[in-house]
């Protein structure tokens, strides 16, 4: 499906051999943002100290960080650059009732106590701004070009869609940012992912990123920040760009980004926290300087032909194990690398699949439409456009989970809820839900799911559950037919 | 943080690639609000199988995990590092580590020691020949000594220094507080601001 690749360097050159940003005359988008956030340049092998513009907090990776602050008697340095919401544990039904799972309830109550004690703005369950942290930030207009964003969640890469440098951090780093608003970091290497051409109808951002991951592998982006470039990327909406940047981590890259352009500015303008008046003009002027300079060198480049891409689907237990939907389950025997072959054999056993089975003949028990990858209004519209006027396959359970309370309201204002309910789908409240099954939304052992989420790891959606990653369009067509399908498989 | 110079202990092979953090610790265990006591959650799914390496008596008390490439991919959960530490592991040896996992390890006194893939295979062969083999990992010399064989491993200088000294990152950064304050004074007005629940 793809054309040429510049090999991803297997042995990274030593840091000492790399020119510093100050020595370079042309810079990439990532390098410009790095340069403009440098509090202190590292010397003699020490990392740079980078300023963080926006820190998003949720209930799962923060309790131990707040505990650390308390023990050291440290305040949150910049409450005005910090915002919290509840998403991973929250129920998607009966949200007005106390959370039934006691440990989930404790974790959420802990966040509420910490937010109160330290003074952090928290959008709790029931608040119109509650939702998946990576949906809430952009929706509020807090995510903008040229900023640094962190969150104790690997899918923070989502925010890179705005031309921001955004990456996931661990709990120790959450504490570090709360205390200092900075992070000590070694510069990332840069990789250009060039996607030129025009996507065929029915082929979406999700298919692009699944194809990218299948091409460079789950470790291909380690140590890099990815910049998605090319005409196919420029044509994408902000929602599509967020879907792509979201899954950068699935290729091993901590961050993925798209240069800001008029699409970005249009999306942002007028949002509650977006700059306004003279600040807006100053911001746009700066943002227009951010795209990678002509002639700037990337450490690695990958090329994909958008015209050749088809709807993509995973067959295995990591997001790199994917094929075009029109293809069959691959044969591990044909894989030369011993580790990859062993992984494929294990994956087929876990997924209960036979090599050679056409992907489109695989029946599913459930369809999950949601997650920080695909739960924005455009995703819900895409899903609704396929199912409208149809009924779901009888045996398939279909769950539609909006990314935020506001997306839910927006969908209802457009009447999408009625389309979902008429189809036989469940229309839920906002949260991470079945993407990782920390709340009651889980697969039963052995159940197979077509999911618009981001990870098909063993047990990710529930112990023993089997996940096929797909786009909202493929999820919708699959919900109609009951086997993995694309909209073109549906009768008119 | 506990200082780290050398560790001598039983090495346990984990002959799988792409060991993601969902496998190291499934999401259901992330609901806890404490930072310790995660040993029961380590590899919780795979542990159901009595044959799984963690259940084998010859690896009881193992401190060094030798795993396939791309260890620690996926979720940023630091709980994966806590679970490995709580079980008793001080070192993970692999040919490739996911970036976030590697960073989290360095913060919690878990050494992510990078070697060539062929050296992982060789270590596995030595461990197969003598299950429960004791291995010495020397962070000062950056070597792994298994029987009569010595392997050099990679770890970046800064992480190595912090591990050896047992230094706390926040304390180190706060030495530069003046530079942080100076940077903040130049921050443009258009940059994002939230509405805090209360002022400091």
């Amino acid at each position: 499906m793809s054309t040429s690749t510049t090999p991803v360097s297997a042995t990274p050159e030593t840091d000492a051999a790399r020119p510093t940003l100050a020595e370079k005359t042309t810079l990439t988008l990532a390098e410009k943002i790095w340069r403009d956030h440098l509090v202190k340049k590292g010397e003699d092998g020490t990392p740079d100290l980078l300023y963080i513009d926006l820190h998003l907090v949720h209930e799962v990776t923060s309790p131990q960080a707040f505990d650390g602050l308390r023990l050291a008697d440290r305040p949150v340095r910049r409450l005005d650059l910090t915002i919290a919401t509840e998403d991973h544990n929250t129920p998607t039904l009966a949200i007005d009732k106390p959370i039934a799972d006691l440990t989930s309830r404790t974790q959420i109550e802990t966040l509420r106590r910490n937010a109160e004690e330290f003074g952090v703005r928290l959008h709790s369950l029931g608040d119109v701004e509650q939702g998946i942290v990576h949906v809430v930030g952009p929706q509020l207009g807090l995510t903008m070009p040229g900023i640094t964003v962190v969150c104790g969640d690997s899918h923070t890469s989502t925010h890179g869609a705005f031309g921001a440098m955004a990456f996931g951090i661990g709990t120790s780093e959450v504490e570090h940012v709360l205390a200092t608003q900075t992070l000590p970091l070694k510069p990332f290497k840069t990789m250009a992912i060039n996607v030129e051409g025009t996507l065929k109808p029915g082929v979406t951002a999700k298919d692009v990123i699944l194809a990218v991951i299948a091409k460079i592998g789950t470790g291909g982006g380690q140590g890099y920040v990815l910049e998605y470039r090319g005409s196919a990327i420029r044509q994408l909406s902000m929602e599509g760009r967020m879907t792509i940047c979201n899954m950068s981590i699935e290729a091993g890259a901590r961050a993925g980004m798209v240069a800001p352009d008029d699409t970005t500015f249009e999306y942002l303008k007028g949002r509650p926290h977006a700059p306004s008046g003279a600040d807006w003009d100053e911001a746009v002027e700066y943002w227009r300087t951010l795209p990678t300079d002509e002639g700037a060198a990337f450490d690695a480049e990958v090329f994909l032909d958008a015209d050749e891409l088809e709807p993509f689907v995973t067959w295995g237990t990591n997001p790199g194990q994917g094929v075009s939907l029109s293809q069959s389950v691959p044969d591990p025997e044909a894989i030369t690398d011993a580790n990859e072959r062993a992984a494929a054999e294990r994956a087929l056993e876990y997924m209960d699949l036979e090599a050679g089975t056409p992907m489109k003949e695989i029946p599913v028990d459930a369809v999950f439409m949601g997650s920080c990858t695909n739960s924005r209004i455009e995703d819900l519209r895409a899903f609704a456009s396929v199912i409208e006027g149809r009924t779901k396959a009888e045996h398939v359970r279909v769950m539609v989970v909006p990314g935020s309370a506001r997306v839910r309201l927006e969908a209802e204002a457009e009447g999408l809820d009625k389309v979902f309910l008429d189809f036989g789908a469940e229309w839920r409240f906002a949260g991470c839900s079945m993407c990782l099954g920390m709340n009651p939304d889980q697969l039963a052992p052995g159940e197979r799911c077509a999911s618009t989420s981001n990870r098909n790891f063993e047990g990710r959606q529930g112990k023993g559950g089997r996940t096929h990653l797909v786009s909202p369009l493929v999820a919708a067509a699959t919900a109609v037919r009951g086997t993995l399908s694309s909209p073109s498989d549906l009768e008119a | 943080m506990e200082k780290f110079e050398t560790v001598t202990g039983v090495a346990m092979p984990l002959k799988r690639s792409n060991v993601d953090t969902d496998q190291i610790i499934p999401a259901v265990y992330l609901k806890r609000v404490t930072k310790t006591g995660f040993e029961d959650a380590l590899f919780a799914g795979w542990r159901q199988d009595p044959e799984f390496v963690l259940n084998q008596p010859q690896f009881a008390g193992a401190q060094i995990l030798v795993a396939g490439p791309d260890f620690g991919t996926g979720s940023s959960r630091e709980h994966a590092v806590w679970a490995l530490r709580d079980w008793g592991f001080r070192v993970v040896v692999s040919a490739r580590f996911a970036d976030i996992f590697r960073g989290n390890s360095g913060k919690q006194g878990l050494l992510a020691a990078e070697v060539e893939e062929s050296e992982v295979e060789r270590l596995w062969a030595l461990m197969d020949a003598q299950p429960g083999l004791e291995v010495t990992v020397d962070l000062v010399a950056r070597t792994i000594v298994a029987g009569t064989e010595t392997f050099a491993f990679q770890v970046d200088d800064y992480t190595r220094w912090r591990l050896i000294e047992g230094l706390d990152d926040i304390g180190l950064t706060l030495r530069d507080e003046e530079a942080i304050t100076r940077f903040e004074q130049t921050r443009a007005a258009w940059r994002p601001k939230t509405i805090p629940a209360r002022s400091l």
Side-chain angles (χ1 to χ4, degrees):
Chain A
M1 44 123 244
S2 52
T3 51
S4 59
T5 317
T6 303
V8 174
S9 55
T11 45
E13 45 186 325
T14 59
D15 289 346
R18 295 161 52 77
T20 65
L21 294 186
E23 288 163 3
K24 289 186 177 181
T25 53
T26 54
L27 295 177
T28 64
L29 166 63
E31 289 167 334
K32 291 180 191 186
I33 298 178
W34 194 278
R35 174 197 65 194
D36 291 350
H37 288 82
L38 214 46
V39 171
K40 190 186 172 195
K41 179 93 196 79
E43 283 163 9
D44 302 327
T46 61
D48 293 346
L49 192 61
L50 216 63
Y51 198 76
I52 303 302
D53 280 311
L54 180 63
H55 186 188
L56 309 168
V57 174
H58 64 86
E59 77 275 15
V60 179
T61 53
S62 67
Q64 298 86 352
F66 282 112
D67 250 358
L69 292 185
R70 212 174 277 119
L71 286 171
D73 199 23
R74 288 173 174 142
V76 174
R77 183 181 176 88
R78 292 298 298 262
L79 288 169
D80 59 341
L81 306 184
T82 310
I83 192 166
T85 188
E86 301 164 355
D87 56 5
H88 284 63
N89 275 272
T90 51
T92 56
L93 286 174
I95 62 167
D96 53 336
K97 305 235 167 34
I99 297 171
D101 180 316
L102 213 58
T103 48
S104 287
R105 196 199 304 174
T106 301
Q107 194 162 61
I108 283 172
E109 284 171 355
T110 303
L111 177 62
R112 291 175 186 173
R113 269 202 312 278
N114 285 332
E116 165 89 34
E117 180 185 335
F118 287 89
V120 174
R121 169 71 53 191
L122 169 65
H123 294 295
S124 280
L125 200 57
D127 181 320
V128 70
E129 304 300 350
Q130 177 268 340
I132 306 176
V133 68
H134 308 309
V135 177
V136 170
Q139 166 185 295
L140 284 171
L142 283 166
T143 304
M144 54 183 83
I147 66 168
T148 48
V149 185
V150 298
C151 173
D153 188 284
S154 61
H155 291 113
T156 308
S157 56
T158 311
H159 307 264
F162 289 78
M165 170 85 81
F167 49 90
I169 57 179
T171 297
S172 292
E173 291 171 311
V174 171
E175 184 182 339
H176 197 284
V177 176
L178 288 171
T180 71
Q181 205 57 37
T182 63
L183 274 180
L185 287 166
K186 291 276 179 71
F188 302 125
K189 290 178 291 170
T190 58
M191 184 188 294
I193 309 279
N194 301 290
V195 192
E196 293 289 352
T198 306
L199 295 173
K200 284 189 281 231
V203 181
T204 64
K206 184 65 165 281
D207 305 303
V208 173
I209 188 61
L210 286 172
V212 168
I213 300 161
K215 186 180 177 74
I216 72 173
T218 55
Q222 275 167 24
Y224 290 94
V225 48
L226 311 183
E227 184 184 329
Y228 302 97
R229 299 159 59 81
S231 52
I233 302 296
R234 297 260 71 87
Q235 289 164 41
L236 289 174
S237 66
M238 287 314 295
E239 283 89 347
R241 294 177 189 184
M242 282 190 256
T243 298
I244 289 191
C245 289
N246 171 275
M247 289 188 72
S248 302
I249 183 69
E250 265 47 81
R254 233 172 144 172
M257 34 199 342
V258 174
D261 58 14
D262 288 338
T263 304
T264 321
F265 308 149
E266 230 163 83
Y267 181 95
L268 194 54
K269 193 161 192 181
R271 290 191 179 262
H273 287 262
S276 58
D279 286 345
W280 172 264
D281 297 336
E282 189 196 331
V284 172
E285 195 183 332
Y286 171 70
W287 294 341
R288 290 202 191 277
T289 68
L290 289 173
T292 294
D293 294 327
E294 189 86 29
F298 290 90
D299 296 302
E301 291 212 53
V302 171
F303 297 88
L304 244 76
D305 186 344
D307 299 273
E308 289 180 29
L309 290 176
E310 290 180 44
F312 220 77
V313 56
T314 62
W315 51 265
T317 54
N318 75 54
Q321 292 174 323
V323 290
S324 291
L325 183 59
S326 59
Q327 294 179 305
S328 300
V329 177
D331 186 354
E333 297 286 319
I335 300 173
T336 46
D337 181 89
N339 269 316
E340 277 186 38
R341 183 167 60 244
E345 282 165 356
R346 275 188 53 81
L348 291 193
E349 189 186 330
Y350 181 84
M351 293 295 289
D352 192 26
L353 291 174
E354 296 229 2
T357 308
M359 292 308 295
K360 287 190 180 176
E361 285 178 14
I362 298 171
V364 303
D365 306 296
V367 169
F368 173 61
M369 172 67 221
S371 86
C372 59
T373 311
N374 286 119
S375 64
R376 298 173 184 85
I377 190 68
E378 184 184 275
D379 300 313
L380 299 186
R381 285 180 195 140
F383 189 85
S385 72
V386 175
I387 64 168
E388 189 161 17
R390 304 179 194 267
T391 47
K392 72 175 183 72
E394 202 176 340
H395 65 281
V396 178
R397 165 185 173 208
V398 184
M399 199 189 277
V400 183
V401 184
S404 69
R406 203 170 274 289
V407 169
R408 184 178 153 100
L409 288 177
E410 212 175 337
E412 290 182 347
E414 295 179 17
L416 299 184
D417 56 325
K418 193 168 180 315
V419 176
F420 301 140
L421 292 169
D422 286 350
F423 179 66
E426 300 171 49
W427 173 233
R428 299 293 191 97
F429 288 90
C432 300
S433 180
M434 204 197 263
C435 175
L436 83 170
M438 275 191 85
N439 74 352
D441 306 342
Q442 296 180 16
L443 295 178
E447 272 191 324
R448 186 182 300 282
C449 180
S451 177
T452 64
S453 58
N454 40 60
R455 289 187 176 139
N456 51 346
F457 297 154
E458 289 181 28
R460 171 81 178 181
Q461 296 193 287
K463 205 169 143 190
R466 299 174 176 131
T467 304
H468 296 274
L469 301 177
V470 297
S471 72
L473 292 177
V474 170
T478 302
V480 174
R481 297 214 330 154
T483 55
L484 292 173
S485 307
S486 80
S488 62
D489 299 319
L490 301 178
E491 288 163 29
Chain B
M1 196 164 71
E2 191 182 349
K3 290 188 181 185
F4 189 123
E5 286 185 356
T6 61
V7 166
T8 299
V10 170
M12 190 184 101
L14 183 61
K15 296 182 181 176
R16 297 182 187 192
S17 59
N18 265 297
V19 176
D20 60 74
T21 55
D22 271 76
Q23 305 316 314
I24 300 173
I25 180 167
V28 63
Y29 294 97
L30 310 189
K31 296 178 187 182
R32 299 174 184 171
V33 295
T34 54
K35 207 167 175 172
T36 53
F38 286 93
E39 61 277 2
D40 61 323
L42 182 65
F43 298 118
W46 291 344
R47 245 162 106 175
Q48 311 277 317
D49 173 5
E51 298 294 305
F52 183 61
V53 62
L54 204 67
N55 295 324
Q56 295 177 19
Q58 65 269 36
F59 299 117
Q63 293 188 66
I64 297 148
L65 182 67
V66 184
D70 296 313
F71 189 86
T73 55
S75 158
S76 64
R77 57 190 71 167
E78 196 163 308
H79 311 64
V81 175
W82 303 337
L84 286 162
R85 286 286 278 128
D86 289 347
W87 182 266
F89 286 110
R90 300 292 313 278
V91 185
V92 181
V93 180
S94 177
R96 284 195 301 274
F97 291 96
D99 293 335
I100 301 179
F101 178 85
R102 187 203 303 269
N104 288 342
S105 296
K107 314 273 183 209
Q108 296 297 326
L110 181 74
L111 171 63
E114 194 173 307
V115 299
E116 296 293 323
E117 213 163 317
S118 58
E119 293 173 318
V120 170
E121 305 271 351
R122 181 62 194 148
L123 280 164
W124 283 346
L126 292 170
M127 292 152 77
D128 285 347
Q130 192 186 332
L133 175 72
E134 283 215 343
V135 166
T136 295
V137 177
D138 184 337
L139 182 55
V140 179
R142 297 187 218 226
T143 56
I144 300 166
V145 181
T148 58
E149 297 184 36
T150 301
F151 306 83
F153 67 82
Q154 304 283 327
V155 59
D156 74 88
D157 292 340
Y158 182 69
T159 302
R160 173 172 170 270
W161 170 69
R162 278 181 42 260
L163 285 170
I164 291 173
E165 300 290 329
L167 289 171
D168 160 53
D169 256 1
I170 297 179
L172 280 175
T173 295
L174 287 176
R175 291 180 189 175
D176 291 320
E177 192 168 4
E178 278 182 28
I180 299 172
T181 304
R182 266 199 312 277
F183 184 92
E184 285 175 329
Q185 285 159 356
T186 63
R187 195 171 180 268
W190 60 262
R191 290 189 179 269
K193 284 237 171 97
T194 64
I195 305 164
R198 64 171 168 75
S199 52
L200 263 179

